[in-house]
Amino acid sequence: MGIKQKVSVEQPNLDWKYDLLFTSTLPITGFDGSLDKFIGRWRSEANPEAIERGEMFNTEITAGDPVAALQNKISLEPGESSDFAILMGVSPKDEQSPESKYLSLDWDSLKNIEVIDPKLEEVKAYWTNYLNHFTIETPDEKFNASMNVWNQYQAAVTFDMARNSGYYHGGLLFGNGIRDQFQDILGMVIPEPGRVRARITNALKYQFNDGSTLHNFFKITEWGEKTNHSDTPLWIPFGVTEYLTETGDFGLLDEVVKFYDQDDATVYEHTARAIDFCISSVSERGLPKIMNGDWNDTLDKVGPRGKGETIWGAFFLGFVIKKTLPLLGLRNDQERIKKWSEAFVHMERVVNEVAWDGEWYIRAFNDFLEPLGTSKSEQGKIFINSQSWAVISGMAPADRAQKCVDSVKKLLLRPNGIQICFPSYTKVEANTGLISRCVPGKKENGAIFNHASSWFVLASIVAGDIDSAVNIYKSMLPANSAERSDIYEVEPYVFAEYVTSPDHPSEGQASHSWLTGTAVWMLRIGMDNIAGFKPQFTGMEISPVLPSYWDSFKASRVFRGCRLDLNVLRQVSGDKKGLYIGDEKVEQNFLSEELIKANKTLQLNFFI
Ligand code: IFM
């Protein structure tokens, strides 16, 4: 049997249009480019040879691991100090005149501490302003530190780096994922909507005329792969609606963007066609085909023959239809309103007819219509995503939604988050896929996969199980997960993609820190669903939650130019529920766009 060749030997014959500079304000007395030489044989970063001997080796390399190390010599008398700066930067090359090497930065003038100090102040001011778009003060210090600083910063890093850096990530191999592109905007859209707008119109270039998309793309070559993951196109409407609810900038919908194959269309058409495509890619009984996988990449052999169905995908498609329908109303797109609404109702009925297992929802049906994630399965009996999204989409009736939450808590809840599926696969299932070949308890085969775990926090809030939701949220905080730092092993201030579950002997060990979708989801669940700032197309809904062990909290958020200062309090007398501006009750806890635009700040009280 042949193996399908997916990689190419073709190499991009392209320039990198930037220069990289690394320098110091002091005279440079030595440097190293070779990490091996700098550190020295049988040594580590704890005792580099170059540092110990006080002299660099002045190495330049074109092979091996690199380091960027400069040496400066400073002599100080007792009590004396010296100011200096180390500078690293990237700047676009001026293609018109190769002699004038740097387009936007005058590096020579930057090598001066008097010039650098104000620049440093600019950087600090940028981050102060960035972080000031949202702040929260709850009784939980670790929650506050995460929400006010680290989680926001991690979200910014995921926006800029995608999954392109670090030893963990296959950025150079896999490029930028379309899913990631449209989720990573969730953090950046509040402080820097302009950057998100540009990100959206750029990513739409990788969509096809029929609404389908590449799964990933490479920035420099603009090449990518169409993998037929069933959920990928749906992240487009997800991201576009998030941009619109934040900004109200409906002009975006009229921008014209090229398709990857042929023709161009407005952003509105791009967005709508993504859903049209997914609605048309359904099985005979009307459920989304899973094809080569859905959000769970490693369910890659469930449906390659085009018959298998994804139950999580049905809930996600339903959720995205509901989220996007108001846009169709704005355009009076009656034909699509009818088609999408019918698809929703049909899917909701079928999924509840065929995918309820008694205590939870099945995860998928394979090409032979055998169920996956059922109590009858020996391994992978229950998957988190079909439970969380049954609730989030509102497609599970109330009694089933409650059972989903209870089953997850009974079978998947672990001390620092939710296990993605259970029991982990220990035997290979060729018709299920890579999940069954992953090490049990790691990655998608039964780890505490934080991205998916965050969705269960959201589902628990939607289901009204507030104490559990906030407890799980807190247990996932890096500062808490990393309490056993010798086991946890990664940074205690940013989320990791996963933590090994009890199904692995290293239980509690984290991996893939920094660049994970967990960052934006934890941030936005904290802002939108706990602090309760829920942006809508025409204004802001305020609906905070208060776990029984908090009496109150304060939060502040900028929305469309207005600062919303919110005080959330447990009511004493029991007759003052909901949102107030001063003493005045706000109908339906909703701040209209007109009200927001007419004010620079609004002082809000919310009684629970
Ligand atoms: O959904 C994916 C994501 O796009 C890349 N990391 C793994 C996730 C789960 O398979």
Side-chain angles (χ1 to χ4, degrees):
M1 201 174 77
I3 293 178
K4 211 158 83 199
Q5 187 68 28
K6 281 200 183 150
V7 290
S8 165
V9 289
E10 200 183 322
Q11 299 294 321
N13 183 21
L14 292 170
D15 288 334
W16 197 58
K17 299 187 176 115
Y18 303 90
D19 283 313
L20 181 77
L21 194 104
F22 185 41
T23 189
S24 162
T25 52
L26 296 174
I28 293 164
T29 55
F31 65 91
D32 268 312
S34 161
L35 183 66
D36 287 347
K37 200 68 193 155
F38 175 76
I39 286 183
R41 194 155 288 177
W42 318 125
R43 287 165 175 265
S44 76
E45 282 81 355
N47 59 347
E49 193 174 348
I51 303 288
E52 210 170 274
R53 73 179 203 152
E55 216 170 314
M56 300 288 185
F57 295 94
N58 298 334
T59 50
E60 290 182 50
I61 57 160
T62 50
D65 282 340
V67 68
L70 294 179
Q71 185 177 29
N72 304 134
K73 289 206 167 126
I74 311 170
S75 306
L76 294 176
E77 294 300 322
E80 201 186 349
S81 67
S82 163
D83 287 341
F84 64 95
I86 305 292
L87 294 149
M88 184 179 262
V90 175
S91 117
K93 275 179 192 153
D94 182 354
E95 284 178 336
Q96 304 307 314
S97 83
E99 281 77 24
S100 80
K101 270 190 104 184
Y102 305 111
L103 198 63
S104 54
L105 290 178
D106 175 0
W107 286 101
D108 283 333
S109 79
L110 270 181
K111 281 202 266 173
N112 174 349
I113 202 83
E114 262 95 65
V115 179
I116 287 169
D117 274 344
K119 293 268 173 223
L120 186 59
E121 290 313 312
E122 275 174 36
V123 172
K124 287 183 187 164
Y126 172 83
W127 285 108
T128 306
N129 176 48
Y130 185 99
L131 297 176
N132 211 18
H133 283 80
F134 177 83
T135 55
I136 191 161
E137 217 182 293
T138 72
D140 191 302
E141 288 296 326
K142 289 179 185 165
F143 180 88
N144 300 345
S146 177
M147 289 294 297
N148 292 334
V149 183
W150 285 106
N151 199 172
Q152 291 194 51
Y153 182 62
Q154 186 180 6
V157 173
T158 62
F159 183 86
D160 283 327
M161 299 275 214
R163 306 293 176 269
N164 283 311
S165 128
Y167 285 123
Y168 303 124
H169 290 281
L172 296 178
L173 203 61
F174 302 129
N176 292 326
I178 288 287
R179 286 184 194 132
D180 298 334
Q181 292 283 298
F182 284 93
Q183 287 173 86
D184 287 348
I185 64 177
L186 284 174
M188 192 57 82
V189 72
I190 301 169
E192 299 235 28
R195 293 191 67 199
V196 167
R197 196 181 210 270
R199 163 75 49 99
I200 289 173
T201 50
N202 180 63
L204 289 179
K205 294 190 313 205
Y206 302 99
Q207 187 182 17
F208 293 85
N209 196 19
D210 66 357
S212 65
T213 54
L214 290 181
H215 185 65
N216 58 342
F217 65 89
F218 293 83
K219 267 190 196 156
I220 298 178
T221 57
E222 301 198 336
W223 178 84
E225 267 180 298
K226 190 169 188 186
T227 57
N228 294 324
H229 280 77
S230 57
D231 63 314
T232 310
L234 291 176
W235 294 101
I236 293 175
F238 173 84
V240 169
T241 49
E242 285 292 331
Y243 172 81
L244 295 174
T245 51
E246 185 62 36
T247 60
D249 168 21
F250 292 95
L252 171 72
L253 294 174
D254 297 317
E255 298 274 323
V256 174
V257 181
K258 276 202 160 83
F259 287 109
Y260 195 66
D261 48 350
Q262 53 180 15
D263 304 335
D264 52 32
T266 60
V267 170
Y268 174 77
E269 264 303 308
H270 275 262
T271 307
R273 280 190 208 179
I275 296 183
D276 289 344
F277 176 80
C278 292
I279 286 179
S280 67
S281 312
V282 289
S283 65
E284 274 167 30
R285 56 186 181 188
L287 296 179
K289 291 182 183 174
I290 188 166
M291 305 303 291
N292 291 332
D294 59 18
W295 181 88
N296 282 71
D297 288 331
T298 53
L299 296 180
D300 52 342
K301 298 296 173 214
V302 176
R305 292 174 176 82
K307 288 233 174 294
E309 298 162 329
T310 160
I311 300 308
W312 168 76
F315 294 133
F316 186 56
L317 175 54
F319 168 83
V320 175
I321 289 177
K322 266 207 226 163
K323 195 172 165 68
T324 317
L325 264 172
L327 290 187
L328 304 188
L330 288 178
R331 296 272 160 156
N332 198 20
D333 197 340
Q334 293 302 333
E335 207 181 307
R336 278 196 175 108
I337 293 180
K338 185 167 181 294
K339 198 170 109 194
W340 292 11
S341 307
E342 283 171 3
F344 181 92
V345 171
H346 180 78
M347 247 180 357
E348 188 180 41
R349 183 175 56 75
V350 177
V351 87
N352 276 297
E353 270 168 22
V354 304
W356 182 247
D357 193 56
E359 297 296 316
W360 61 79
Y361 284 97
I362 282 164
R363 176 63 180 82
F365 290 92
N366 69 13
D367 277 325
F368 313 99
L369 292 190
E370 295 160 346
L372 203 88
T374 121
S375 52
K376 291 174 204 74
S377 315
E378 227 183 282
Q379 40 188 9
K381 279 179 190 294
I382 174 168
F383 281 73
I384 183 175
N385 281 350
S386 32
Q387 320 321 321
S388 306
W389 286 86
V391 179
I392 296 169
S393 66
M395 289 164 88
D399 56 332
R400 289 188 177 182
Q402 193 52 53
K403 281 193 175 166
C404 288
V405 171
D406 292 344
S407 297
V408 169
K409 288 205 307 200
K410 187 167 152 208
L411 296 168
L412 299 176
L413 180 62
R414 304 289 172 253
N416 42 18
I418 307 289
Q419 190 163 332
I420 192 168
C421 64
F422 177 79
S424 304
Y425 288 78
T426 51
K427 289 184 216 125
V428 171
E429 286 182 11
N431 291 327
T432 300
L434 192 57
I435 189 171
S436 64
R437 297 179 194 272
C438 290
V439 176
K442 285 183 83 116
K443 266 265 185 195
E444 284 130 274
N445 186 13
I448 294 151
F449 208 92
N450 282 326
H451 193 162
S453 192
S454 75
W455 290 336
F456 183 70
V457 173
L458 174 56
S460 303
I461 295 175
V462 173
D465 194 353
I466 309 305
D467 278 8
S468 299
V470 179
N471 278 337
I472 298 167
Y473 190 107
K474 292 201 300 174
S475 74
M476 291 168 63
L477 287 172
N480 286 327
S481 295
E483 243 163 24
R484 299 177 304 164
S485 57
D486 52 334
I487 296 172
Y488 187 74
E489 288 187 353
V490 310
E491 300 88 336
Y493 43 88
V494 287
F495 291 99
E497 186 194 62
Y498 74 90
V499 181
T500 51
S501 72
D503 288 359
H504 189 270
S506 75
E507 182 191 352
Q509 182 188 41
S511 190
H512 294 56
S513 54
W514 284 101
L515 303 178
T516 157
T518 316
V520 288
W521 279 95
M522 288 300 274
L523 181 65
R524 290 303 296 265
I525 291 168
M527 284 183 182
D528 301 17
N529 305 96
I530 297 178
F533 294 106
K534 291 203 183 104
Q536 308 291 324
F537 290 116
T538 54
M540 175 71 91
E541 180 193 325
I542 306 284
S543 48
V545 295
L546 202 55
S548 61
Y549 41 84
W550 291 353
D551 282 336
S552 64
F553 67 81
K554 286 186 174 144
S556 176
R557 186 207 202 273
V558 175
F559 181 65
R560 302 194 194 173
C562 176
R563 175 163 289 285
L564 307 173
D565 286 326
L566 176 65
N567 227 337
V568 177
L569 304 148
R570 197 176 301 289
Q571 54 176 337
V572 193
S573 60
D575 57 355
K576 206 179 181 193
K577 267 197 166 180
L579 183 65
Y580 290 77
I581 301 179
D583 275 341
E584 211 175 306
K585 178 101 172 78
V586 180
E587 283 316 307
Q588 295 172 335
N589 304 332
F590 184 75
L591 304 169
S592 69
E593 187 170 31
E594 296 74 52
L595 179 70
I596 283 166
K597 288 229 161 112
N599 287 279
K600 283 243 157 319
T601 58
L602 285 171
Q603 301 296 329
L604 310 170
N605 290 318
F606 196 102
F607 295 92
I608 289 188

